[in-house]
């Protein structure tokens, strides 16, 4: 099982399997604490992002963010020659965090263990981007800073431009798909709801 997990659920540009780990690594974590931290942040921002985008669009953005952030990680690893495997939902979660902070920059946030210190979402986003930029530039290895930056930039881009460029233009395709399914259901070719 370890070989399968390492091959398909960790992203590494020197691996034989390059494409599927770009998505699958988003669902694997190094430890229970790693998973708990990521899931807490996702839970904290999920209601805001779902109210902004809706469920379908959120799922599409989240899965796309996993691939985009892993691709940015690949590029950084190729540029630096540091071919270390990485895993986790952090890049995709950074997309969610950045999207919410971009759309609601004046929202008040706090750290779970220090609730008495509040700050704006816009300030938090700037601090996170500065931290990950410094980590990438200085070669810190605690996090995959490139994946975090890729996710944050994707989230900022998506809520600013992506919804209009991508999501709204998918409507004719989705409508045709639903019409095709409705016709097939009426002819006995599909399942009924």
């Amino acid at each position: 099982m370890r070989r399968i997990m390492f091959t398909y659920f960790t992203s590494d540009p020197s691996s034989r399997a390059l494409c599927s780990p770009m998505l699958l690594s988003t669902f694997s974590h190094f430890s229970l604490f790693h998973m708990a931290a990521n899931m807490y942040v996702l839970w904290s921002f999920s209601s805001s992002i779902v109210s902004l985008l809706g469920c379908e669009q959120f799922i599409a953005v989240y899965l796309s963010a996993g691939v985009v952030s892993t691709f940015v990680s690949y590029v950084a690893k190729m540029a630096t020659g540091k071919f270390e495997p990485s895993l986790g939902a952090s890049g995709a979660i950074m997309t969610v965090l950045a999207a919410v902070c971009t759309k609601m920059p004046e929202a008040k946030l706090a750290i779970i263990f220090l609730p008495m210190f509040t700050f704006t979402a816009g300030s938090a986003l700037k601090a996170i981007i500065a931290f990950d930029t410094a980590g990438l530039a200085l070669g810190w290895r605690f996090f995959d800073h490139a994946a975090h930056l890729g996710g944050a930039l994707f989230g900022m881009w998506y809520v600013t431009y992506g919804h209009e460029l991508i999501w709204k233009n998918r409507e004719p395709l989705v409508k045709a798909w639903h019409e095709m399914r409705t016709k097939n259901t009426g002819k006995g070719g599909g399942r009924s709801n």
Side-chain angles (χ1 to χ4, degrees):
M1 193 69 172
R2 182 177 221 117
R3 175 182 279 163
I4 291 170
M5 291 299 291
F6 189 77
T7 302
Y8 296 105
F9 289 85
T10 60
S11 60
D12 184 352
S14 63
S15 173
R16 289 179 303 143
L18 288 176
C19 295
S20 57
M22 291 177 79
L23 176 64
L24 296 176
S25 65
T26 305
F27 299 101
S28 60
H29 291 84
F30 180 71
S31 67
L32 187 59
F33 177 75
H34 182 208
M35 185 174 78
N38 276 339
M39 294 304 104
Y40 177 75
V41 174
L42 181 60
W43 175 78
S44 297
F45 288 89
S46 63
S47 60
S48 297
I49 195 71
V50 169
S51 68
L52 284 170
L53 303 178
C55 287
E56 284 181 335
Q57 190 173 186
F58 163 70
I59 291 170
V61 169
Y62 185 81
L63 295 175
S64 299
V67 173
V68 168
S69 61
T70 302
F71 179 74
V72 172
S73 175
Y74 279 3
V75 170
K77 289 174 183 178
M78 296 296 288
T80 61
K82 298 176 183 174
F83 302 108
E84 301 156 343
S86 59
L87 69 163
S90 304
I93 292 170
M94 283 297 293
T95 295
V96 171
L97 186 144
V100 171
C101 290
T102 299
K103 281 303 237 186
M104 298 185 243
E106 296 304 317
K108 292 290 183 192
L109 302 177
I111 299 173
I112 187 171
F113 300 114
L114 304 168
M116 67 290 285
F117 298 111
T118 61
F119 40 87
T120 65
S123 298
L125 182 58
K126 290 173 190 168
I128 290 169
I129 289 174
F131 174 77
D132 282 319
T133 301
L136 185 61
L138 298 173
W140 297 343
R141 295 184 177 187
F142 190 66
F143 299 115
D144 188 343
H145 297 286
H148 286 188
L149 283 171
L153 294 174
F154 180 68
M156 293 164 55
W157 174 83
Y158 190 83
V159 296
T160 306
Y161 305 108
H163 176 75
E164 295 293 322
L165 293 172
I166 297 171
W167 196 255
K168 290 210 173 166
N169 291 325
R170 65 98 177 92
E171 290 292 332
L173 180 63
V174 171
K175 186 176 179 182
W177 171 254
H178 286 298
E179 287 174 1
M180 183 178 73
R181 286 187 56 209
T182 304
K183 287 178 186 175
N184 285 342
T185 302
K187 295 178 182 177
R191 64 184 171 107
S192 60
N193 294 344

